[in-house]
Amino acid sequence: MLLPLIKDAFRHNLKPALALQSLAIVLVLSYYFVPSTQPAFNFFADLKSTYGIRYAIISTAIFGGLLPFIYLLWTGQIKRQPVGQLIFYVVLWAWQGACVDVLYTYQGIWFGHATDIATLATKVAVDQFIFSAFYAAPFLTLMMLWKEQGFNAVKWKASLNRSLFMLKLPANIASNWLVWIPAVTAIYSMPAPLQVPLFNLVLCFYVLLLAVLNRDENQ
């Protein structure tokens, strides 16, 4: 039962994954090889350096929460509790922004800021096989399930069944690796002040693309 779910998750995420990874690679290459892009990169790097975790909280709330919510609302994909869903998306991604910023900060402290293969591989492994597998993916899965249950704690608790933990959650984690392992490799290839800004752009693009694909499938 698990393997078909993983295959379906991979199929569903393949196109957005390739698009997301292409975007991340283009941004990294632009930073290192296109001098005319430096003012834009420096602008975001300065913001991140100046405001630190506050920047991560606000920017991730906007790029991961507010902008996708506006698109979902505009395209009619949010049909109930719009105010509640707005608060949910913004608060959820503000929290995730703080968590990601802490992760990136400590990865730099623990492993340094070099971009050699060994350092990148170590950071990606910690990010995806510890942080993502044991916290981010399960947490987001549970939070999205709570939203799907209309923010009803009783219904949400009733949905926490064996199938969720033995099938859906592992499939989500596996498909998450397809999407994010190449993406975070690109993110960790950037200087520390640009890692959260790049994460924000990639996240926003990914969430919006998923929303577009889901809309097309439902039409």
Side-chain angles (χ1 to χ4, degrees):
M1 289 291 292
L2 178 58
L3 187 58
L5 279 177
I6 293 176
K7 288 182 177 179
D8 183 65
F10 270 47
R11 179 192 61 80
H12 186 70
N13 282 286
L14 182 59
K15 289 181 180 179
L18 292 175
L20 175 150
Q21 292 153 15
S22 298
L23 172 66
I25 291 170
V26 166
L27 289 171
V28 171
L29 292 177
S30 296
Y31 174 77
Y32 284 107
F33 298 108
V34 183
S36 61
T37 64
Q38 289 302 305
F41 284 111
N42 290 338
F43 172 77
F44 287 103
D46 289 343
L47 281 178
K48 179 62 176 67
S49 297
T50 300
Y51 296 104
I53 195 171
R54 290 172 293 172
Y55 172 89
I57 291 170
I58 294 171
S59 64
T60 309
I62 293 171
F63 283 93
L66 180 60
L67 294 180
F69 171 83
I70 291 172
Y71 174 80
L72 291 171
L73 186 65
W74 178 56
T75 56
Q77 296 185 60
I78 293 181
K79 303 182 184 300
R80 60 181 183 178
Q81 299 176 294
V83 175
Q85 291 205 45
L86 172 61
I87 295 171
F88 169 79
Y89 280 117
V90 170
V91 172
L92 173 67
W93 286 108
W95 169 254
Q96 286 300 98
C99 293
V100 167
D101 187 73
V102 170
L103 172 69
Y104 290 178
T105 298
Y106 276 94
Q107 290 257 59
I109 294 171
W110 293 332
F111 309 117
H113 298 288
T115 55
D116 58 278
I117 293 176
T119 302
L120 290 178
T122 301
K123 288 184 175 181
V124 170
V126 171
D127 189 305
Q128 290 299 294
F129 300 120
I130 298 177
F131 175 78
S132 178
F134 291 99
Y135 164 68
F139 174 72
L140 289 172
T141 299
L142 293 175
M143 289 299 96
M144 291 301 174
L145 183 61
W146 180 50
K147 178 183 72 70
E148 291 169 6
Q149 299 299 329
F151 307 114
N152 185 304
V154 175
K155 292 181 179 179
W156 177 74
K157 185 177 179 180
S159 68
L160 302 180
N161 51 39
R162 178 182 175 85
S163 175
L164 171 68
F165 291 103
M166 299 301 293
L167 297 175
K168 183 176 181 179
L169 186 53
N172 285 352
I173 292 171
S175 65
N176 190 70
W177 290 335
L178 169 71
V179 173
W180 284 99
I181 286 178
V184 297
T185 302
I187 289 170
Y188 287 121
S189 299
M190 298 290 272
L194 286 171
Q195 290 175 3
V196 167
L198 179 55
F199 164 74
N200 289 157
L201 289 174
V202 170
L203 172 67
C204 185
F205 183 75
Y206 174 64
V207 173
L208 287 174
L209 189 55
L210 276 182
V212 171
L213 292 175
N214 288 337
R215 183 189 180 199
D216 291 342
E217 288 181 359
N218 293 330
Q219 286 180 343

